[in-house]
Amino acid sequence: MPPHGAHTETPAGAVLPPRGWCIHAYRRCTPLHHLHCLSAGRARRLLLDGADVHACTRPGGPTPVSLARGLEGGSDSASMGGGGSSSADSPAGLVLLAAAPWSPSNHRLFPAPARFAAATLMRLGHELANTPRFRGVAQAIVDVWRGGVMPHAVTRQMDWPPAPTAPHTRRLRARALTPK
């Protein structure tokens, strides 16, 4: 085995970079894996573009979430929406917040199709709550819908179908896709 930092030659004759660099690059397969050198703005853009916070090259390998926990001192409080030592403005804090189930506090970090689905499903929840059956308890229905149904219904990987092309639905879609 060549010393650390030396180039390695494969049986086919190809020259590889130093072994340590290859292993590091192999285990970190997405830009989101490089949290230590990302700005908060770049991390936010990657999350909005649908970056997978659980991506890894092999079972048990590092994921952006596991790396973010390491950078933030292992605190799970950010992913649960609590305080703790995590800064929601740091790239690691953003990843931990985005990895949590959908909530109004992390809605802004979900990709556009998931935000559109969330807005559509919330409208459905409000319509359900305003039916005669739930007269007098409409706000309770909306609260249960937001806290109990929405986190299970909205995921980062949603591939929501495009909105219909009628003019009134284009306006609704534009409002739903606008970051808050």
Side-chain angles (χ1 to χ4, degrees), residues 12 14 21 29 31 44 54 59 62-63 72 88 101 122 124 156 158 165:
W21 181 87
C29 60
R44 184 176 287 110
H54 299 290
T63 65
E72 294 291 327
M122 275 308 300
L124 178 65
R156 293 189 52 77
M158 292 188 92
T165 57

Side-chain angles (χ1 to χ4, degrees), residues 114-158:
R115 289 193 319 271
F116 179 67
T120 303
L121 290 170
M122 275 308 300
R123 281 193 296 277
L124 178 65
H126 279 278
E127 288 178 23
L128 176 68
N130 289 325
T131 59
R133 167 185 268 174
F134 297 115
R135 185 167 287 131
V137 293
Q139 187 57 50
I141 296 298
V142 170
D143 291 343
V144 168
W145 187 268
R146 183 184 306 115
V149 174
M150 295 291 292
H152 297 286
V154 179
T155 65
R156 293 189 52 77
Q157 295 79 25
M158 292 188 92

Side-chain angles (χ1 to χ4, degrees), residues 12-86:
V15 176
L16 297 176
R19 184 174 182 265
W21 181 87
C22 284
I23 291 171
H24 176 78
Y26 172 73
R27 289 183 182 158
R28 285 155 175 79
C29 60
T30 69
L32 209 49
H33 275 87
H34 303 278
L35 290 170
H36 59 282
C37 58
L38 285 179
S39 68
R42 175 74 173 134
R44 184 176 287 110
R45 282 190 301 277
L46 289 169
L47 291 167
L48 289 175
D49 288 341
D52 185 1
V53 295
H54 299 290
C56 65
T57 56
R58 59 184 167 73
T63 65
V65 171
S66 66
L67 295 170
R69 284 187 184 128
L71 287 173
E72 294 291 327
S75 170
D76 286 334
S77 61
S79 64
M80 297 301 163
S85 62
S86 175

